[in-house]
Amino acid sequence: EIKSEGKNNFRFYKEGMSEKMVDTLSLESELVDAIKNQELEVYYQVQINLETGKPHGVEALVRWNHPKRGVLPPIVFLPLAEELNLLAYIDEFVLKEAIRQGKTWHDSGLDQLKMSVNISKAFFQQEDFLSIVNRAIEETEMDSSLLSLEVTENMAVLQLQEIRDKLLALKEKGIKVSLDDFGTGYSSLNQLNYFPIDTLKIDQSFVRGNSTKEKEAIINLIIAMAKSLDVSVICEGVETEKQLELIKEKGCNYAQGYLFSKPVPASECETMLLDLNT
Ligand code: C2E
Ligand code: MG
Ligand code: MG
Ligand code: MG
């Protein structure tokens, strides 16, 4: 449901309102329908194993196929979804679809492909979060060790004990946990040790663009930390050969970025995966 306060604001500010704000409000009301009209689609972006050059896994990334505006990226509608309390619902949809797709790919010969899914704070803290994840895996019979859930440091505003318990429950089922956008949030080193994390994803802001001393220093630090904690490292936002060489040199395990592929629909991703795998 649309917040009534938002509607009042709309009336109040109508005169001086920018086109962009009006646009946002109409999107809000359309998003509610988008879900039941099945306008959301899961795209996949390949992650490359830097040791072998072969696909390691894919990350599931949601898109909205808007009937009039075309394919919308998450930045346009996830903040709205959060305001409307629809974010957990969208995550659940993406999770189920990604697990279904992952199982299909595993059965068709890509039997070691990791499937990564983003989990919002809203979904994670939901009471039935664990049972939804477990049920989705049981129903499709996907190998749970091939599922990786991506959480972010903004989760740390929740009770730390609660986060740890839920992550441990996932681990008990064999599910992997990745810390996304690492380096941009505020988790401290001792927290990192407290949580059962398998993978650190270095945020793309440290990789994209020209390399600087500062960015390199952060990459070095994260990789050193990962090594000492015995977790693997994925670099996001790899766009050029030069960036690839740099992160390889530094001992990063996996890479994800436009150099290899943008996020693409499942069928397109499948063609690419089979191609890269041979
Ligand atoms: P993220 O989880 O950090 O995902 C990586 C984002 O970086 C993706 O943007 C991807 O397209 C983009 N990216 C990857 N490599 C490159 C590159 O080389 N250059 C550039 N310029 N960008 C690159 P996308 O798909 O727009 O998603 C943005 C964010 O939206 C995600 O960041 C994630 O935080 C969120 N998101 C996407 N799907 C979901 C979902 O199903 N649930 C939740 N809760 N969040 C999601
Ligand atoms: Mg992610
Ligand atoms: Mg990220
Ligand atoms: Mg990001």
Side-chain angles (χ1 to χ4, degrees):
E1 76 275 92
I2 311 292
K3 275 198 252 160
S4 62
E5 199 186 293
K7 272 188 179 158
N8 290 338
N9 280 341
F10 177 72
R11 228 171 282 130
F12 189 73
Y13 288 113
K14 209 171 179 182
E15 289 303 307
M17 220 167 155
S18 70
E19 240 170 74
K20 201 175 167 217
M21 286 168 82
V22 177
D23 219 46
T24 300
L25 284 177
S26 77
L27 265 188
E28 278 193 9
S29 54
E30 289 165 1
L31 182 56
V32 178
D33 294 328
I35 296 171
K36 61 171 186 279
N37 293 342
Q38 302 189 325
E39 290 166 15
L40 297 183
E41 183 177 352
V42 183
Y43 277 36
Y44 299 90
Q45 186 179 32
V46 69
Q47 300 169 329
I48 300 293
N49 181 330
L50 293 180
E51 219 167 279
T52 63
K54 304 259 182 210
H56 162 70
V58 293
E59 177 173 6
L61 294 154
V62 69
R63 295 292 183 267
W64 177 2
N65 289 319
H66 191 283
K68 294 198 199 81
R69 299 169 203 244
V71 181
L72 298 179
I75 184 73
V76 176
F77 62 95
L78 288 190
L80 298 177
E82 186 168 21
E83 262 178 61
L84 299 171
N85 284 325
L86 293 170
L87 191 52
Y89 189 84
I90 291 177
D91 281 357
E92 182 179 342
F93 162 78
V94 173
L95 175 79
K96 287 178 175 163
E97 178 55 23
I99 289 178
R100 188 201 60 75
Q101 183 62 68
K103 171 67 174 164
T104 304
W105 281 335
H106 298 151
D107 288 347
S108 71
L110 298 158
D111 56 357
Q112 293 303 313
L113 193 76
K114 299 273 194 296
M115 176 58 75
S116 278
V117 181
N118 293 285
I119 304 294
S120 66
K121 188 173 65 187
F123 188 28
F124 186 83
Q125 69 183 2
Q126 206 168 276
E127 215 174 313
D128 54 356
F129 167 71
L130 286 172
S131 57
I132 289 173
V133 174
N134 290 334
R135 207 176 321 128
I137 289 176
E138 277 157 24
E139 277 170 6
T140 49
E141 296 180 324
M142 184 176 116
D143 177 349
S144 61
S145 71
L146 296 175
L147 179 65
S148 179
L149 300 184
E150 298 191 1
V151 300
T152 64
E153 295 164 278
N154 76 6
M155 207 84 91
V157 299
L158 303 175
Q159 286 290 316
L160 297 186
Q161 174 83 48
E162 182 195 335
I163 303 174
R164 184 176 141 96
D165 288 348
K166 281 198 181 176
L167 294 180
L168 284 172
L170 292 171
K171 308 243 50 160
E172 220 156 87
K173 296 280 176 178
I175 298 164
K176 303 287 192 292
V177 177
S178 303
L179 198 47
D180 202 359
D181 305 336
F182 190 69
T184 62
Y186 50 82
S187 66
S188 60
L189 298 185
N190 56 356
Q191 270 178 27
L192 204 56
N193 213 1
Y194 180 68
F195 298 121
I197 302 287
D198 300 281
T199 305
L200 290 181
K201 294 191 77 176
I202 299 183
D203 190 68
Q204 46 177 284
S205 57
F206 304 117
V207 185
R208 276 173 58 193
N210 289 323
S211 133
T212 65
K213 271 218 167 77
E214 291 77 14
K215 290 200 299 192
E216 265 200 60
I218 291 172
I219 296 175
N220 285 336
L221 187 71
I222 295 176
I223 292 178
M225 205 159 65
K227 292 260 145 74
S228 74
L229 292 171
D230 200 26
V231 304
S232 60
V233 181
I234 302 186
C235 258
E236 297 187 316
V238 179
E239 293 184 345
T240 67
E241 289 287 350
K242 203 168 160 198
Q243 292 160 356
L244 177 63
E245 280 320 305
L246 182 89
I247 61 161
K248 260 189 185 171
E249 216 172 82
K250 295 188 180 304
C252 180
N253 306 100
Y254 310 104
Q256 180 179 346
Y258 291 177
L259 176 64
F260 307 104
S261 170
K262 290 190 172 184
V264 290
S267 59
E268 211 174 305
C269 189
E270 180 172 313
T271 307
M272 181 175 53
L273 289 171
L274 293 171
D275 218 48
L276 286 169
N277 216 36
T278 50

